[in-house]
Amino acid sequence: MVAKKTALDKDLKWQRRMDAGAGETASLSAKLGLALVFLLACSAFVAFHMGGLPQSGFLIAAAVIGGYMALNIGANDVANNVGPAVGSKALTMVGALLIAAIFEAAGAIIAGGDVVGTIKNGIIDPTQMPDAQTFVWAMMAALLAAALWLNLATWLGAPVSTTHSIVGGVMGAGMAAVGIDAVNWPTMGTIAASWVISPVLGGVIAAGFLAFIKFRILYTDNRVEAARKWVPILVGVMVSAFTMYLMMKGISKVWKTETWQVVLIGIGAFFVTLLPVRKAVLHASRNMTGRRKEIASLFRIPLIVSAALLSFAHGSNDVANAIGPLAAIVSGVDSGQIVASAPIPIWVMVIGAIGISAGLILFGPKLIKTVGSKITKLDPIRAYTVALSAALTVIVASALGLPVSSTHIAVGAVFGVGFLRETLSHRRRVDNAPMLVGEDAETDEQKQHIEALRQLDPAQAAKAEKKLRKRLLVRRRYAVTIATAWVITVPAGAFLGALLFFTIRGIML
């Protein structure tokens, strides 16, 4: 009888797995179908409005590739903006997708500008191109190469830089079209430097703020009073940082400001925020007992706002990774000339904005889960430090003239938070307690469990404490996967860009 029951259980478990697999397959098929509908809509629009042009077929293909690139930007890069908020449960997945999609599109359309640089980061000299036709082929190859690499990285679950992807594609296509001398190698050197600078700087800043919160609030005898003192200041710092961040990156294309103006407005934002936030914190903490979850709840609203603002700034800047080469292709076909910057037709901007939002909604949850929960466990406090680090790192790096990647910053901040948690969880207390209880064991319930275990069986309690001290709070395999993807992004994009250029040229000649 037992054997039959076991066999039945195995059959039912196998059937559940089959049903789950079938459901995932059906869901993926539906998502791919919707993505295909979007790309067909892009081609139909261009065919309807530009069907009379001599090279309308080329423009249709370029629009489809541009839409494909936008989908992949949404699927991969946007996860960094909302992943921490979802992982900390400050936002649901559906809420994060809606907020990010709306603000990404708004940032692209409202603050994306009306002119875009066609050669990302000036890595190749367009004047070395022999003719406009070769230039257009190179841009198409670069765009498709970047999109294919982003698609592969998303499938592998690795958040990578879309800027580095398009840089690699442009570099490879440029070398295939002109030769190695076309590449601005000093610029490529600064881009390579950002592989190290961005995650390290982001991780250090995030870990620094988390350490401050822990030792000034969470490790104090009266957490509520400490929170009333420091949370308004911390939120004010976030508001100030995001004000400056948006002025430097979010609306810089529609409103040019001097450095002193950015700093002055940022300082003003801090002081304007301080009083109302202090009142709000006093009101919210009236009935608090000092539990960690209660303190963490004070960071929930600032975290949601930061996710929206990060998405807006990302949409205004990184949409250029999809529409820059596309605008170059359209301008090159229309004028027959090689251009370093091109006006953005409204339909090109719409393709970029809608494509990013659609890619996020359809395929973004996988990377959102990776950034938000699979690297290390996040709560609103930790996620707050990640979001704040994303803004502050860009400000600091810009002031110092350092190259940074927003993707590397955000992911580096998550790792920085995780490694700090791990370090502190392995330390012993300075006082009579046998160990410093880690953040995962920070709640009163877990402390009581450890105390109860110590009373009942000291030997078993010692084993449990030793196991707790040695546990790893950062999943190393994700660190290896992501770091590898970062390092090979530019070379992979370059290889694909060169290969696709030769393919396109072979087809067109």
Side-chain angles (χ1 to χ4, degrees), residues 99 185 373 433:
I99 288 175
W185 291 108
S373 59

Side-chain angles (χ1 to χ4, degrees), residues 454-467:
R454 188 177 291 116
Q455 294 294 327
L456 294 173
D457 189 346
Q460 192 67 26
K463 290 181 180 179
E465 290 172 354
K466 183 178 180 180
K467 182 178 179 181

Side-chain angles (χ1 to χ4, degrees), residues 115-351:
V115 175
V116 66
T118 58
I119 306 297
K120 189 66 181 179
N121 287 25
I123 58 170
I124 65 170
D125 183 3
T127 61
Q128 294 193 30
M129 291 286 177
D131 51 56
Q133 188 177 59
T134 303
F135 174 73
V136 168
W137 292 346
M139 290 300 98
M140 181 172 282
L143 192 59
L144 182 55
L148 288 171
W149 171 248
L150 282 175
N151 199 335
L152 177 61
T154 302
W155 180 73
L156 293 173
V160 297
S161 169
T162 56
T163 299
H164 289 181
S165 300
I166 195 65
V167 161
V170 171
M171 183 180 74
M175 287 193 296
V178 179
I180 195 171
D181 293 335
V183 178
N184 185 339
W185 291 108
T187 299
M188 291 305 304
T190 63
I191 291 172
S194 73
W195 298 340
V196 177
I197 294 172
S198 298
V200 170
L201 197 55
V204 168
I205 292 177
F209 273 98
L210 180 59
F212 181 88
I213 293 171
K214 289 171 70 64
F215 287 102
R216 291 293 183 179
I217 300 177
L218 299 179
Y219 291 166
T220 59
D221 294 331
N222 193 332
R223 290 178 174 178
V224 176
E225 285 301 319
R228 289 170 179 171
K229 176 182 178 181
W230 290 111
V231 170
I233 295 175
L234 291 167
V235 173
V237 170
M238 171 176 269
V239 171
S240 177
F242 272 96
T243 299
M244 292 187 286
Y245 178 73
L246 287 174
M247 293 180 68
M248 295 170 62
K249 297 294 182 181
I251 59 174
S252 59
K253 295 176 183 177
V254 294
W255 182 30
K256 300 291 184 181
T257 54
E258 300 292 336
T259 302
W260 67 269
Q261 293 175 310
V262 173
V263 174
L264 190 62
I265 293 175
I267 294 173
F270 172 82
F271 287 105
V272 168
T273 304
L274 204 56
L275 182 58
V277 172
R278 191 178 298 278
K279 290 182 178 180
V281 169
L282 286 172
H283 177 77
S285 62
R286 285 181 304 173
N287 299 318
M288 285 187 178
T289 59
R291 295 180 60 193
R292 192 179 193 283
K293 288 185 178 180
E294 294 176 334
I295 304 300
S297 67
L298 298 174
F299 292 89
R300 183 173 180 270
I301 292 178
L303 185 56
I304 294 173
V305 174
S306 71
L309 296 180
L310 283 171
S311 297
F312 182 90
H314 179 272
S316 67
N317 280 275
D318 281 31
V319 69
N321 292 327
I323 67 172
L326 179 55
I329 294 168
V330 174
S331 181
V333 170
D334 286 344
S335 65
Q337 297 179 351
I338 300 172
V339 292
S341 61
I344 307 174
I346 186 62
W347 65 268
V348 171
M349 182 63 80
V350 170
I351 285 178

